[in-house]
Amino acid sequence: MRLRCAIPLAVLLGCAAPVYAQDQGFARSQSFLKTYCQACHQGSSPVGGFHLDRVSTPASLKAEAAKWGSMARRVHNGEMPPKGAPKPTVDELEQFSQWATQALRAAACAGGIKPGPAPIRRLNRDEYSATIRDLLDIHLDIGSALPADGGGGEGFDNAAETLFLSPIHSEKYMEAAKFATDFAAKEFKSRQKLLIAKPGPGVSEEQAARKILEALLPRAFRQPVPAADVALYVGLFNAARKQGREYEEAVFFAIRGVLVSPKFLFRVEPPNRTAAVQPVGDYQLASRLSYFLWGSMPDELLLDAAASGKLREPAVLKSLVGRMLRNDRSLGFAQRFIEQWLGTRDLVGTKKPDPKLYPMFDNDEELRSDIRLQPVLFFRELLTRDLPVLDLIDSTHTIGTSNLAKLYEVKLPVPRDASKQPRWMELPPNSNRGGILGMPAIMAVSSYPYRTSPVLRGAWILDAMLGTPPPPPPPNVPALEEAKAGAANRTMRQRLADHRANAVCASCHSRMDGLGFALENYDVIGRWRTEDAGQPIDNSGDLGPVHFKGSGELRKVLLDRKDLFVRNLTNKMLGFALGRGLTLEDSCTVDAIVEEVRNNGYRAQALVEAIVLSVPFRYQAPLPVAKPSAVPVPTKVAALQRPGERKE
Ligand code: HEC
Ligand code: HEC
């Protein structure tokens, strides 16, 4: 179950939430349910098969956690009560869903920190590509030939729940393996890495092939490989020779077999069949680490550390984190994490600025790539320099290039005619470019392609930065008047003012619009502007009673809410590291990590270290005890099953 906590204005503003105090919370939740839900969810045939009796005791917070979670989510999303039934106010519904979320968390954490599930997962497209690259030492983007992976869990495409293997995948992976081995067979570097033995005087062809496979298999499968498995692939080699293939061709044929093996394509961790929580195996831990921070297979050093049994020592893990982040391969982590977390992948898709209005984005490939990479490289610098993650909100430095300097119209200290390489540089005072907020990529994905929207930008900050997304808009809200007669010379603020005056609309919009207004100085592609529709920009914003002007003061307001920000970042990164959606139990881990990061000056490496040292990252839960199926398997199906086959 995936829960996003809904936080009412009171919490967002940093003041204590007076309503729903813990002791009365449960009673209040019941009166909320009586008022708005009872009409349909009680009696002998409750609607949707859901009776409120199931959630009428405090013990149900644990026993019926999934039901409570779905109530909180459906109330937050405005789906329950359905259209037509008496509606709670936005404040009421947020109070209920926030209280339920926190009560659920407290109930789940009462039992201590638990590791949570460790699902089997296929290497996703990027991981597959990077693993082939490192295994065969070829520089080839093989992934582009594979089907794209959907996002799951905390919004990332490495989430196990989406990484099943369809027939289409199997076919494409077969093709990719052939392509990769054909390519490697022609590459000098790759041949050197793979063909470590040759048939020669005193060495038979089979012996040479065996040597080659013995070296390759443990790297490909990311753990020691029993002799029987090696024999399997030597068998492939022999079969290919018998069919008349040349020696080398037969070796690459066997390697192709390795690349389509489930042991290569999947990350399988042997299940924990004991009754207690256990550390994951040494080699599995090595893979968890390398797929988290490199998106690829473990290197020799990691495999050695696993072999020696040292990898599981916290001090060793900590020192490896720094080393791995400084390695070039961590760029892939920064890119996949940042672009999916902040939504900047959409810059080349649904959020692409309109080519007619912003031709420079469309025409200038260099500029486009600088814009897209800026937040990625910025984040990677925070990691490698071990700077505070709060620098994402505001910072004294940024990633600059000569193209970006031109777009910014800020005197960035980029030497003219210098190489166009992105560099880490200090910003001039009051540049309005600290942190991610002034970055063109962020300003573009929180706009419409053809105009800025304080509403979208505010919603983006609430969701991506603070992890407190506004409830989805109600249906049938009239769109803003676009370039209609008379609208052209009204500023965005004037156009939005109408619904800010309406109490129903204001219940959501007072939270979003006020944040977005402070960013109105940035146009769709992040250029600084002082006028909109021929009138000076009024960049005053507000969040409840807090008033501020411009992006500089907005950054301060966000820094005042740093705990929300860090918690959200931790949620995202833990979900990414574990490659799955977070569960309620994981929120206890998140609490512990946030505390650790706070105690370490919010350092970026402290965050990564705390994730790597966390219980879910290093430990494995016992296999759930299979409950005997209540429904007997029909004899017909049972008869069709072969012995030893399991019915899904
Ligand atoms: C006007 C009738 C009505 C009211 C009032 C109502 N619901 Fe529902 N509810 C339904 C219907 C119809 C379904 C089944 C369709 C669906 O799932 O959307 C349903 C389904 C549900 C489910 C999913 C059931 C399941 O087993 O997964 C939950 C949870 C739920 N409602 C919670 C609530 C809560 C909480 C409230 C009060 C805030 C509420 N409902 C008010 C009609 C209602
Ligand atoms: C339950 C929360 C909620 C309520 C209530 C609400 N909205 Fe919204 N509204 C949103 C969200 C969230 C968005 C951003 C939509 C998106 O992400 O695409 C939005 C977007 C909009 C937009 C588009 C802004 C733009 O730049 O084009 C308009 C216009 C709007 N709402 C008007 C209204 C009006 C008028 C009302 C009252 C009748 C209202 N809304 C009530 C949540 C709400």
Side-chain angles (χ1 to χ4, degrees):
M1 174 185 32
R2 176 156 176 257
L3 270 187
R4 303 174 94 177
C5 46
I7 303 218
L9 202 53
V11 173
L12 206 66
L13 294 172
C15 36
V19 268
Y20 271 62
Q22 276 305 321
D23 47 347
Q24 312 167 12
F26 192 80
R28 278 180 166 267
S29 75
Q30 294 302 307
S31 89
F32 175 89
L33 295 173
K34 272 212 178 67
T35 313
Y36 296 109
C37 320
Q38 205 173 40
C40 299
H41 294 295
Q42 67 167 1
S44 54
S45 53
V47 182
F50 169 48
H51 200 294
L52 285 178
D53 271 1
R54 285 178 67 180
V55 294
S56 61
T57 61
S60 67
L61 280 164
K62 197 148 174 73
E64 293 285 351
K67 199 47 93 201
W68 273 100
S70 110
M71 290 201 298
R73 192 170 48 244
R74 299 193 66 163
V75 168
H76 173 76
N77 289 342
E79 295 165 17
M80 286 290 147
K83 225 179 133 197
K87 269 221 176 311
T89 65
V90 170
D91 275 354
E92 278 178 307
L93 68 83
E94 294 266 280
Q95 272 158 18
F96 171 78
S97 48
Q98 187 226 353
W99 175 85
T101 307
Q102 285 186 351
L104 274 170
R105 245 171 42 199
C109 292
I113 290 183
K114 299 205 191 74
I120 295 175
R121 71 210 52 215
R122 168 169 62 76
L123 300 185
N124 76 8
R125 174 161 104 155
D126 291 339
E127 291 167 342
Y128 178 84
S129 212
T131 305
I132 293 268
R133 176 198 69 203
D134 295 338
L135 184 70
L136 306 182
D137 208 351
I138 52 176
H139 289 268
L140 178 70
D141 179 18
I142 196 106
S144 52
L146 298 174
D149 304 300
E154 301 311 303
F156 299 102
D157 64 6
N158 67 353
E161 44 277 47
T162 62
L163 291 174
F164 46 85
L165 190 75
S166 70
I168 269 283
H169 278 112
S170 331
E171 205 173 292
K172 293 279 177 198
Y173 277 115
M174 295 284 230
E175 286 169 22
K178 177 164 188 328
F179 195 75
T181 43
D182 286 352
F183 191 88
K186 294 194 208 92
E187 286 285 300
F188 175 73
K189 259 177 80 185
S190 171
R191 291 168 55 86
Q192 260 200 328
K193 177 136 187 168
L194 297 171
L195 306 177
I196 52 155
K198 274 200 194 82
V203 183
S204 73
E205 284 192 355
E206 187 184 305
Q207 280 168 332
R210 181 182 300 278
K211 262 208 137 94
I212 290 172
L213 291 164
E214 270 170 355
L216 180 75
L217 280 163
R219 293 175 58 237
F221 296 169
R222 310 171 281 267
Q223 56 188 311
V225 171
D229 277 15
V230 180
L232 209 70
Y233 294 96
V234 175
L236 272 187
F237 164 80
N238 284 331
R241 275 303 269 147
K242 270 210 195 89
Q243 280 178 2
R245 290 180 201 240
E246 296 290 332
Y247 164 77
E248 260 193 23
E249 223 188 312
V251 169
F252 279 102
F253 183 77
I255 295 179
R256 201 198 306 170
V258 174
L259 299 189
V260 295
S261 159
K263 290 181 183 163
F264 175 75
L265 286 179
F266 287 86
R267 287 169 56 200
V268 190
E269 301 181 341
N272 169 6
R273 297 189 188 279
T274 71
V277 165
Q278 299 288 344
V280 296
D282 292 301
Y283 290 97
Q284 283 72 33
L285 186 58
S287 275
R288 283 188 180 198
L289 255 183
S290 71
Y291 282 97
F292 170 28
L293 295 178
W294 287 345
S296 184
M297 57 184 272
D299 67 355
E300 307 286 326
L301 208 121
L302 275 173
L303 290 177
D304 287 349
S308 70
K310 286 226 159 69
L311 186 60
R312 59 176 71 190
E313 290 173 15
V316 174
L317 276 171
K318 260 187 162 172
S319 73
L320 275 172
V321 163
R323 180 186 83 91
M324 293 180 73
L325 289 175
R326 283 187 299 274
N327 187 298
D328 279 349
R329 292 183 200 179
S330 71
L331 187 61
F333 158 54
Q335 179 149 20
R336 285 177 305 122
F337 179 70
I338 282 291
E339 293 199 330
Q340 294 184 77
W341 170 33
L342 302 178
T344 50
R345 258 190 194 179
D346 295 337
L347 258 184
V348 285
T350 52
K351 292 290 185 178
K352 184 172 175 238
D354 187 273
K356 283 209 195 76
L357 297 172
Y358 306 96
M360 63 299 282
F361 186 86
D362 206 45
N363 298 338
D364 189 340
E365 197 184 325
E366 252 175 32
L367 174 66
R368 196 162 62 235
S369 141
D370 287 357
I371 288 179
R372 189 174 165 181
L373 280 179
Q374 190 188 24
V376 171
L377 298 176
F378 181 73
F379 179 65
R380 179 146 188 278
E381 291 298 320
L382 298 190
L383 290 172
T384 53
R385 293 169 189 267
D386 201 9
L387 295 169
V389 291
L390 301 180
D391 281 14
L392 289 160
I393 302 177
D394 198 1
S395 60
T396 53
H397 287 68
T398 194
I399 293 289
T401 68
S402 45
N403 282 317
L404 286 171
K406 251 183 267 163
L407 187 75
Y408 277 13
E409 294 176 15
V410 179
K411 287 205 176 47
L412 281 182
V414 193
R416 209 177 274 188
D417 317 320
S419 84
K420 292 183 170 160
Q421 289 305 312
R423 46 176 90 209
W424 178 250
M425 48 184 53
E426 191 168 354
L427 285 162
N430 305 320
S431 67
N432 289 308
R433 298 293 179 177
I436 55 176
L437 277 178
M439 292 188 180
I442 305 298
M443 292 298 90
V445 294
S446 58
S447 298
Y448 291 110
Y450 51 92
R451 68 159 163 86
T452 63
S453 163
V455 181
L456 293 194
R457 285 198 177 151
W460 187 91
I461 291 177
L462 290 176
D463 186 10
M465 292 186 78
L466 300 179
T468 57
N476 307 328
V477 171
L480 282 188
E481 4 154 13
E482 296 296 349
K484 266 193 297 182
N489 55 2
R490 296 178 71 206
T491 63
M492 188 53 65
R493 179 178 298 268
Q494 289 159 344
R495 285 194 265 163
L496 287 172
D498 305 346
H499 71 245
R500 299 252 288 164
N502 175 329
V504 174
C505 319
S507 60
C508 289
H509 281 272
S510 62
R511 252 185 272 186
M512 301 182 277
D513 308 9
L515 293 169
F517 279 134
L519 296 172
E520 274 292 279
N521 285 118
Y522 303 103
D523 77 357
V524 169
I525 56 168
R527 287 176 302 188
W528 191 256
R529 59 180 184 181
T530 49
E531 283 189 354
D532 175 30
Q535 296 188 38
I537 296 243
D538 174 358
N539 63 8
S540 47
D542 56 75
L543 184 59
V546 187
H547 289 262
F548 43 91
K549 265 184 100 53
S551 66
E553 289 183 18
L554 170 63
R555 290 180 176 90
K556 294 207 177 73
V557 169
L558 294 175
L559 279 174
D560 287 342
R561 283 149 192 78
K562 54 170 138 353
D563 283 351
L564 275 180
F565 173 77
V566 173
R567 176 164 244 287
N568 179 45
L569 171 58
T570 303
N571 266 322
K572 295 285 172 187
M573 202 185 281
L574 184 65
F576 183 89
L578 298 175
R580 61 169 172 80
L582 298 188
T583 64
L584 267 177
E585 277 83 8
D586 292 320
S587 44
C588 327
T589 302
V590 172
D591 290 337
I593 296 173
V594 169
E595 168 128 20
E596 182 72 17
V597 174
R598 192 189 304 127
N599 293 340
N600 278 284
Y602 297 98
R603 285 189 301 105
Q605 287 188 15
L607 171 59
V608 179
E609 284 164 16
I611 286 176
V612 165
L613 292 177
S614 73
V615 171
F617 195 84
R618 287 193 297 151
Y619 290 84
Q620 204 180 9
L623 213 56
V625 184
K627 288 196 191 115
S629 164
V631 188
V633 181
T635 41
K636 228 176 167 180
V637 176
L640 284 176
Q641 265 177 261
R642 271 169 294 155
E645 202 174 72
R646 226 160 45 99
K647 189 183 151 283
E648 288 304 328

